[in-house]
Amino acid sequence: SATPHRASFNDLAMLNTMLLEADPAELDAIDGMQAIENRLEAAYTDHFRNVLPVRAQRKRQITELMPCPLTTALMQGGIDRARDYMADMPYQTPCIYTRGLSNAANSLSAINTLVFEEQSHKLSDLVAGMRENWPDEALCAHLTDTPKWGNDNDQADQWALRLVGLRRRAVKRVEQKLELPHHVVCHVVRSLHHMDGKWITASLDGRRAGEPVGDSIGAVCGTATTGPTAMLNSVLKLNAARDFDAGYNLNLTLPPAQAAPSVIKALAEGFFGAGGQELQINVLDPAQLRDAREHPERHRDLVVRVAGLCARFIELSDAEQIELIERAEAACHTR
């Protein structure tokens, strides 16, 4: 779940590991969400305690073996400090990379709903189903129906904010203990959600093992039911300047009927004006994309935005083409 020198991690993988490593009796002794958050914060602290010293050592090696004077000269204060930017910056670079926030928040929402609010399931039974990749279709459907991140629903959105908060506390605790400078954090997915999904076990948001995780910091594909403005409002609840000070990416797909220039302008200006960061907008027609898969010769000039890049649709892999069609279909079914 981590590349040591980059201190990268996946929020969903961290949550899954914490749950799967506990025995059933231990899980059922948990008496509320705060106890789960405490356990998860301890897991994050252990993770950063292990990887940040390795990362710091590797940065020192890079500075000695591969100094970057030109890059340093372009950094704020680089010439005045006369030290390589990797060794002496007010913030650490490369930054801490994270993914999987959306799925992890949805999983916490499911635990809160089914275990503590409805009291319809024991946590140990949920984790057992997760371990077995959801053989009970009814249980999987129940998990899928719990409140989801990205709908401007405070009941669901609180879990993304709490998750970010405990991660922030864990990083700061380790930085202070090891006397390290502040580490900036980014949530950039690009196409790595496919790679992550291949090794992350089934999860409590109803996702099955092997399926991709969320494609950005926004709603997981198919779970945004209240429209684009609601998803932007959810993301704006995050304190981006503090908790994602190296940036995040947000994919937003609109159907052609809702993509007038005035609408896109209003969405972008409202989002950035309220403190939003990177916004990647796609206007997709699912019927056109399906036709392009069947008759690529008719659509050689069809360019789509995947995440932080654009590409000709017919040149994408099957997995990427299918995902873009799913995004387009999901966008057509929001209010």
Side-chain angles (χ1 to χ4, degrees), residues 152-200:
D152 198 12
N153 178 339
D154 289 340
Q155 180 184 2
D157 293 350
Q158 65 173 316
W159 302 112
L161 275 63
R162 292 190 182 194
L163 191 59
V164 168
L166 66 87
R167 182 261 297 159
R168 179 180 66 252
R169 293 191 297 272
V171 172
K172 187 174 182 179
R173 183 179 297 115
V174 174
E175 288 172 343
Q176 292 176 340
K177 179 70 173 179
L178 301 179
E179 298 182 342
L180 296 172
H182 169 66
H183 291 74
V184 294
V185 178
C186 75
H187 188 290
V188 178
V189 180
R190 299 188 180 94
S191 60
L192 294 174
H193 56 301
H194 289 283
M195 297 175 62
D196 287 348
K198 289 180 180 179
W199 61 266
I200 295 177

Side-chain angles (χ1 to χ4, degrees), residues 66-272:
M66 297 181 293
C68 300
L70 295 179
T71 302
T72 299
L74 297 173
M75 296 293 182
Q76 183 178 5
I79 295 177
D80 295 336
R81 286 191 299 270
R83 295 187 62 198
D84 192 85
Y85 84 102
M86 289 284 281
D88 184 22
M89 287 287 288
Y91 50 84
Q92 292 286 284
T93 180
C95 57
I96 294 175
Y97 297 90
T98 175
R99 299 184 295 276
L101 175 67
S102 305
N103 295 87
N106 289 344
S107 297
L108 291 172
S109 176
I111 295 172
N112 181 59
T113 300
L114 301 187
V115 178
F116 299 115
E117 290 186 349
E118 296 180 2
Q119 298 184 4
S120 57
H121 296 78
K122 296 196 302 182
L123 183 55
S124 61
D125 291 337
L126 295 183
V127 173
M130 178 176 72
R131 193 186 304 274
E132 297 169 8
N133 203 21
W134 307 124
D136 185 341
E137 295 287 346
L139 175 57
C140 188
H142 202 170
L143 290 164
T144 302
D145 288 340
T146 55
K148 295 292 188 290
W149 161 252
N151 292 288
D152 198 12
N153 178 339
D154 289 340
Q155 180 184 2
D157 293 350
Q158 65 173 316
W159 302 112
L161 275 63
R162 292 190 182 194
L163 191 59
V164 168
L166 66 87
R167 182 261 297 159
R168 179 180 66 252
R169 293 191 297 272
V171 172
K172 187 174 182 179
R173 183 179 297 115
V174 174
E175 288 172 343
Q176 292 176 340
K177 179 70 173 179
L178 301 179
E179 298 182 342
L180 296 172
H182 169 66
H183 291 74
V184 294
V185 178
C186 75
H187 188 290
V188 178
V189 180
R190 299 188 180 94
S191 60
L192 294 174
H193 56 301
H194 289 283
M195 297 175 62
D196 287 348
K198 289 180 180 179
W199 61 266
I200 295 177
T201 60
S203 45
L204 292 178
D205 57 345
R207 174 191 150 275
R208 296 186 184 277
E211 293 180 354
V213 297
D215 58 54
S216 75
I217 205 167
V220 175
C221 184
T223 64
T225 60
T226 54
T229 303
M231 183 163 75
L232 297 184
N233 284 339
S234 288
V235 175
L236 285 171
K237 294 173 186 177
L238 298 167
N239 188 331
R242 180 190 64 194
D243 295 322
F244 294 99
D245 41 2
Y248 59 61
N249 73 291
L250 171 59
N251 295 332
L252 178 64
T253 300
L254 300 173
Q258 298 178 15
S262 59
V263 172
I264 295 176
K265 181 175 184 290
L267 288 172
E269 288 183 347
F271 182 66
F272 294 126

Side-chain angles (χ1 to χ4, degrees), residues 270-287:
F271 182 66
F272 294 126
Q277 293 185 348
E278 183 178 342
L279 180 59
Q280 299 167 167
I281 300 176
N282 236 333
V283 179
L284 300 176
D285 179 354

